[in-house]
Amino acid sequence: MDKKVAIVTGGSSGIGKSTAALLRASGYTVYTLSRHETGEESHLAADVADASQVQAAFARVFAQTGRLDLLVNSAGMGISGPIELTSEADARAIFDVNFFGTLHCVQSALPYLRQTKNGRIVNLSSVAAPLSIPYQAFYSATKAAINALTKALSNETAHFGIRVCAVMPGDVRTGFTESRRKTPDNGLYPAADHAVAVMEQDELGGMTPHTVARVILKAATAKSPKILYVAGGKYKLFCLIEKLLPATLCNKLVGKIYA
Protein backbone atom coordinates (compact mmCIF):
# COMPACT_ATOMS: atom_id res chain seq x y z
CA MET A 1 0.00 0.00 0.00
CA ASP A 2 1.22 3.46 -0.89
CA LYS A 3 -1.18 5.27 1.43
CA LYS A 4 0.01 5.88 4.97
CA VAL A 5 -1.75 3.82 7.62
CA ALA A 6 -2.93 5.21 10.97
CA ILE A 7 -4.55 3.69 14.03
CA VAL A 8 -6.68 6.01 16.16
CA THR A 9 -7.81 4.77 19.56
CA GLY A 10 -11.05 6.05 21.03
CA GLY A 11 -12.01 6.46 17.39
CA SER A 12 -15.74 5.81 17.63
CA SER A 13 -16.61 9.18 19.20
CA GLY A 14 -15.41 12.65 20.17
CA ILE A 15 -11.87 13.73 19.40
CA GLY A 16 -10.87 10.29 18.10
CA LYS A 17 -13.72 10.17 15.60
CA SER A 18 -12.98 13.68 14.33
CA THR A 19 -9.28 12.86 14.07
CA ALA A 20 -9.96 9.71 12.08
CA ALA A 21 -12.18 11.64 9.64
CA LEU A 22 -9.58 14.37 9.18
CA LEU A 23 -6.78 11.86 8.62
CA ARG A 24 -8.85 10.05 5.98
CA ALA A 25 -9.52 13.36 4.25
CA SER A 26 -5.75 13.94 4.29
CA GLY A 27 -5.02 10.68 2.50
CA TYR A 28 -4.46 8.19 5.31
CA THR A 29 -5.92 4.72 5.53
CA VAL A 30 -7.34 4.85 9.05
CA TYR A 31 -8.30 2.09 11.45
CA THR A 32 -10.19 3.09 14.57
CA LEU A 33 -10.11 1.20 17.83
CA SER A 34 -12.54 1.28 20.75
CA ARG A 35 -14.27 -1.13 23.12
CA HIS A 36 -17.52 -1.26 21.15
CA GLU A 37 -18.33 -2.71 17.74
CA THR A 38 -19.45 -0.11 15.18
CA GLY A 39 -20.10 -2.33 12.20
CA GLU A 40 -17.46 -0.49 10.17
CA GLU A 41 -14.87 -2.59 8.36
CA SER A 42 -12.06 -0.26 9.42
CA HIS A 43 -13.02 -0.41 13.11
CA LEU A 44 -11.45 -2.82 15.59
CA ALA A 45 -13.13 -3.67 18.89
CA ALA A 46 -10.52 -3.80 21.65
CA ASP A 47 -10.20 -2.53 25.20
CA VAL A 48 -6.98 -0.51 25.45
CA ALA A 49 -6.70 -1.57 29.10
CA ASP A 50 -6.21 -5.18 27.91
CA ALA A 51 -2.74 -5.59 26.42
CA SER A 52 -3.57 -8.85 24.64
CA GLN A 53 -6.58 -7.33 22.86
CA VAL A 54 -4.48 -4.37 21.75
CA GLN A 55 -1.67 -6.58 20.45
CA ALA A 56 -4.14 -8.67 18.45
CA ALA A 57 -5.76 -5.57 16.92
CA PHE A 58 -2.44 -4.06 15.85
CA ALA A 59 -1.26 -7.37 14.41
CA ARG A 60 -4.48 -7.56 12.38
CA VAL A 61 -3.94 -4.10 10.91
CA PHE A 62 -0.36 -4.87 9.96
CA ALA A 63 -1.36 -8.21 8.43
CA GLN A 64 -3.87 -6.41 6.22
CA THR A 65 -1.74 -3.42 5.25
CA GLY A 66 1.90 -4.35 5.73
CA ARG A 67 2.66 -1.01 7.35
CA LEU A 68 1.88 1.38 10.19
CA ASP A 69 2.83 5.04 9.96
CA LEU A 70 0.90 6.77 12.73
CA LEU A 71 -0.61 5.98 16.11
CA VAL A 72 -2.97 8.48 17.74
CA ASN A 73 -3.76 7.61 21.36
CA SER A 74 -7.10 9.30 21.94
CA ALA A 75 -8.92 6.80 24.17
CA GLY A 76 -9.62 8.12 27.64
CA MET A 77 -12.01 8.46 30.55
CA GLY A 78 -12.59 10.88 33.42
CA ILE A 79 -13.50 10.76 37.08
CA SER A 80 -14.10 13.56 39.55
CA GLY A 81 -14.36 13.94 43.30
CA PRO A 82 -12.23 14.57 46.39
CA ILE A 83 -8.97 12.66 46.55
CA GLU A 84 -9.73 11.39 50.05
CA LEU A 85 -13.05 9.86 49.03
CA THR A 86 -12.10 8.41 45.66
CA SER A 87 -11.93 4.63 45.73
CA GLU A 88 -8.72 2.88 44.80
CA ALA A 89 -10.71 0.95 42.18
CA ASP A 90 -11.77 4.18 40.42
CA ALA A 91 -8.25 5.59 40.64
CA ARG A 92 -6.80 2.43 39.13
CA ALA A 93 -9.50 2.35 36.44
CA ILE A 94 -8.60 5.77 35.08
CA PHE A 95 -4.90 4.90 35.04
CA ASP A 96 -5.69 1.60 33.32
CA VAL A 97 -7.37 3.45 30.45
CA ASN A 98 -5.59 6.80 30.20
CA PHE A 99 -2.03 5.75 31.02
CA PHE A 100 -1.68 1.99 30.67
CA GLY A 101 -4.03 2.01 27.66
CA THR A 102 -1.64 4.43 25.97
CA LEU A 103 1.32 2.32 27.04
CA HIS A 104 -0.21 -0.87 25.62
CA CYS A 105 -0.79 0.84 22.28
CA VAL A 106 2.70 2.32 22.17
CA GLN A 107 4.33 -1.02 22.95
CA SER A 108 2.18 -2.78 20.34
CA ALA A 109 2.83 -0.13 17.67
CA LEU A 110 6.59 0.30 17.96
CA PRO A 111 7.65 -2.95 16.23
CA TYR A 112 5.53 -2.01 13.21
CA LEU A 113 6.53 1.67 13.22
CA ARG A 114 10.19 0.60 13.16
CA GLN A 115 9.57 -1.48 10.04
CA THR A 116 7.75 1.31 8.24
CA LYS A 117 10.33 3.93 9.35
CA ASN A 118 9.64 7.62 9.94
CA GLY A 119 6.61 6.76 12.05
CA ARG A 120 4.72 9.07 14.39
CA ILE A 121 2.99 8.69 17.75
CA VAL A 122 0.64 11.40 18.96
CA ASN A 123 -0.63 11.04 22.51
CA LEU A 124 -3.66 12.93 23.77
CA SER A 125 -2.80 14.77 26.96
CA SER A 126 -4.57 17.79 28.49
CA VAL A 127 -4.01 21.30 29.80
CA ALA A 128 -5.02 19.63 33.09
CA ALA A 129 -1.53 18.04 33.08
CA PRO A 130 0.47 21.21 33.85
CA LEU A 131 -2.53 22.83 35.60
CA SER A 132 -3.76 20.22 38.07
CA ILE A 133 -7.50 20.65 38.58
CA PRO A 134 -9.06 20.30 42.06
CA TYR A 135 -11.53 17.42 42.31
CA GLN A 136 -10.13 16.09 39.04
CA ALA A 137 -6.77 15.12 40.49
CA PHE A 138 -6.59 11.62 39.05
CA TYR A 139 -7.38 12.79 35.53
CA SER A 140 -4.68 15.45 35.86
CA ALA A 141 -2.28 12.83 37.19
CA THR A 142 -2.85 10.49 34.24
CA LYS A 143 -2.26 13.30 31.77
CA ALA A 144 0.87 14.49 33.58
CA ALA A 145 2.08 10.90 33.30
CA ILE A 146 1.32 10.96 29.56
CA ASN A 147 3.50 14.06 29.17
CA ALA A 148 6.35 12.39 31.03
CA LEU A 149 5.98 9.22 28.96
CA THR A 150 5.90 11.24 25.74
CA LYS A 151 9.08 13.17 26.53
CA ALA A 152 11.06 10.07 27.51
CA LEU A 153 9.74 8.02 24.58
CA SER A 154 10.64 10.78 22.13
CA ASN A 155 14.30 10.50 23.11
CA GLU A 156 14.25 6.70 23.21
CA THR A 157 12.82 6.29 19.70
CA ALA A 158 14.63 9.14 17.93
CA HIS A 159 17.31 6.80 16.52
CA PHE A 160 14.54 4.79 14.82
CA GLY A 161 13.27 7.93 13.09
CA ILE A 162 10.04 7.72 15.11
CA ARG A 163 8.72 11.09 16.28
CA VAL A 164 6.59 11.28 19.44
CA CYS A 165 4.55 14.21 20.73
CA ALA A 166 1.48 15.01 22.83
CA VAL A 167 -1.47 17.32 22.23
CA MET A 168 -2.92 19.11 25.25
CA PRO A 169 -6.49 20.32 24.65
CA GLY A 170 -8.40 22.58 26.97
CA ASP A 171 -12.17 22.22 27.35
CA VAL A 172 -13.84 20.29 24.52
CA ARG A 173 -17.53 19.63 23.79
CA THR A 174 -17.83 15.83 23.70
CA GLY A 175 -19.71 12.99 25.40
CA PHE A 176 -16.75 12.81 27.81
CA THR A 177 -18.56 15.21 30.17
CA GLU A 178 -21.67 13.08 30.41
CA SER A 179 -19.77 9.82 30.93
CA ARG A 180 -17.51 11.07 33.74
CA ARG A 181 -17.62 9.01 36.94
CA LYS A 182 -18.38 11.15 40.00
CA THR A 183 -17.52 10.49 43.63
CA PRO A 184 -20.01 12.11 46.08
CA ASP A 185 -18.44 14.58 48.51
CA ASN A 186 -20.55 13.35 51.49
CA GLY A 187 -20.65 16.88 52.88
CA LEU A 188 -16.96 16.88 53.77
CA TYR A 189 -15.96 18.95 50.74
CA PRO A 190 -18.71 21.53 50.14
CA ALA A 191 -16.75 23.13 47.27
CA ALA A 192 -16.60 19.91 45.27
CA ASP A 193 -20.00 20.05 43.56
CA HIS A 194 -19.51 23.67 42.55
CA ALA A 195 -16.00 22.98 41.22
CA VAL A 196 -17.19 20.07 39.10
CA ALA A 197 -20.16 22.13 37.84
CA VAL A 198 -17.80 24.93 36.76
CA MET A 199 -15.56 22.42 35.02
CA GLU A 200 -18.47 20.80 33.18
CA GLN A 201 -19.93 24.14 32.14
CA ASP A 202 -16.56 25.05 30.64
CA GLU A 203 -16.47 21.73 28.79
CA LEU A 204 -19.98 22.14 27.38
CA GLY A 205 -19.01 25.59 26.11
CA GLY A 206 -15.61 24.44 24.91
CA MET A 207 -14.04 23.96 21.49
CA THR A 208 -15.21 21.35 19.00
CA PRO A 209 -13.48 17.98 18.61
CA HIS A 210 -12.58 19.06 15.07
CA THR A 211 -10.51 21.92 16.49
CA VAL A 212 -8.42 19.45 18.46
CA ALA A 213 -8.24 17.07 15.50
CA ARG A 214 -6.64 19.82 13.40
CA VAL A 215 -3.88 20.19 16.01
CA ILE A 216 -3.39 16.41 16.07
CA LEU A 217 -3.06 16.41 12.27
CA LYS A 218 -0.50 19.21 12.52
CA ALA A 219 1.49 17.23 15.08
CA ALA A 220 1.27 14.09 12.95
CA THR A 221 2.48 15.73 9.74
CA ALA A 222 4.89 18.49 10.84
CA LYS A 223 8.39 18.06 9.47
CA SER A 224 9.88 18.93 12.85
CA PRO A 225 7.09 18.41 15.40
CA LYS A 226 7.15 19.99 18.82
CA ILE A 227 7.13 17.70 21.83
CA LEU A 228 3.96 19.33 23.24
CA TYR A 229 1.13 21.10 21.44
CA VAL A 230 -1.67 23.07 23.12
CA ALA A 231 -5.10 23.14 21.46
CA GLY A 232 -7.07 26.35 21.93
CA GLY A 233 -5.82 29.95 21.98
CA LYS A 234 -6.69 30.85 25.57
CA TYR A 235 -5.22 27.57 26.82
CA LYS A 236 -1.89 28.47 25.23
CA LEU A 237 -2.01 31.59 27.39
CA PHE A 238 -2.85 29.53 30.49
CA CYS A 239 0.11 27.23 29.86
CA LEU A 240 2.41 30.21 29.33
CA ILE A 241 1.26 31.73 32.62
CA GLU A 242 1.90 28.39 34.33
CA LYS A 243 5.49 28.48 33.12
CA LEU A 244 6.08 32.10 34.14
CA LEU A 245 4.43 32.28 37.56
CA PRO A 246 5.76 30.71 40.76
CA ALA A 247 4.16 27.29 41.26
CA THR A 248 2.45 28.26 44.52
CA LEU A 249 0.83 31.37 43.04
CA CYS A 250 -0.26 29.54 39.90
CA ASN A 251 -1.83 26.75 41.94
CA LYS A 252 -3.73 29.28 44.06
CA LEU A 253 -5.10 30.94 40.91
CA VAL A 254 -6.33 27.57 39.62
CA GLY A 255 -8.00 26.97 42.96
CA LYS A 256 -9.81 30.31 42.76
CA ILE A 257 -11.21 29.45 39.33
CA TYR A 258 -13.01 26.46 40.82
CA ALA A 259 -13.74 27.86 44.29
Side-chain angles (χ1 to χ4, degrees):
M1 293 181 64
D2 294 329
K3 292 178 71 174
K4 289 186 176 182
V5 175
I7 294 177
V8 180
T9 72
S12 61
S13 63
I15 294 170
K17 185 175 182 178
S18 291
T19 299
L22 193 56
L23 287 170
R24 289 190 181 105
S26 301
Y28 283 80
T29 296
V30 180
Y31 290 81
T32 57
L33 187 151
S34 69
R35 289 181 299 166
H36 307 293
E37 291 283 1
T38 66
E40 298 174 358
E41 186 177 347
S42 61
H43 179 78
L44 303 170
D47 184 351
V48 295
D50 186 322
S52 62
Q53 291 185 31
V54 172
Q55 290 168 3
F58 278 62
R60 181 178 165 188
V61 170
F62 196 79
Q64 290 180 3
T65 65
R67 65 185 297 164
L68 179 63
D69 299 270
L70 170 65
L71 166 63
V72 178
N73 282 306
S74 182
M77 63 169 288
I79 64 174
S80 65
I83 294 170
E84 179 186 0
L85 303 179
T86 299
S87 70
E88 183 176 335
D90 279 348
R92 288 185 180 276
I94 193 171
F95 269 91
D96 281 343
V97 175
N98 293 8
F99 179 75
F100 287 104
T102 296
L103 176 64
H104 295 155
C105 292
V106 165
Q107 291 178 331
S108 295
L110 282 173
Y112 305 124
L113 291 171
R114 278 200 298 271
Q115 292 183 53
T116 304
K117 301 186 185 302
N118 300 316
R120 296 286 177 98
I121 297 174
V122 181
N123 297 322
L124 196 67
S125 180
S126 172
V127 171
L131 296 167
S132 191
I133 310 299
Y135 307 107
Q136 199 179 191
F138 297 98
Y139 180 77
S140 287
T142 62
K143 295 306 184 179
I146 290 297
N147 283 3
L149 180 76
T150 298
K151 291 176 181 178
L153 186 65
S154 176
N155 284 327
E156 291 181 14
T157 60
H159 70 291
F160 297 125
I162 298 171
R163 304 291 187 91
V164 186
C165 56
V167 173
M168 301 191 297
D171 298 306
V172 188
R173 300 195 304 270
T174 67
F176 186 88
T177 302
E178 191 174 310
S179 62
R180 179 182 284 110
R181 297 185 192 178
K182 297 180 182 178
T183 300
D185 66 82
N186 291 345
L188 290 173
Y189 294 87
D193 288 344
H194 175 72
V196 173
V198 169
M199 176 182 65
E200 294 189 339
Q201 185 177 14
D202 289 342
E203 289 172 348
L204 293 173
M207 70 188 92
T208 66
H210 183 71
T211 300
V212 183
R214 288 203 306 266
V215 180
I216 291 173
L217 178 64
K218 180 179 179 180
T221 58
K223 185 176 180 180
S224 299
K226 298 186 293 185
I227 191 71
L228 295 176
Y229 289 82
V230 181
K234 71 177 182 179
Y235 302 105
K236 293 179 182 179
L237 177 60
F238 291 165
C239 289
L240 177 61
I241 291 172
E242 186 272 336
K243 291 179 180 179
L244 296 177
L245 290 182
T248 301
L249 176 58
C250 184
N251 198 50
K252 284 182 178 179
L253 290 174
V254 172
K256 287 183 180 296
I257 292 172
Y258 297 97

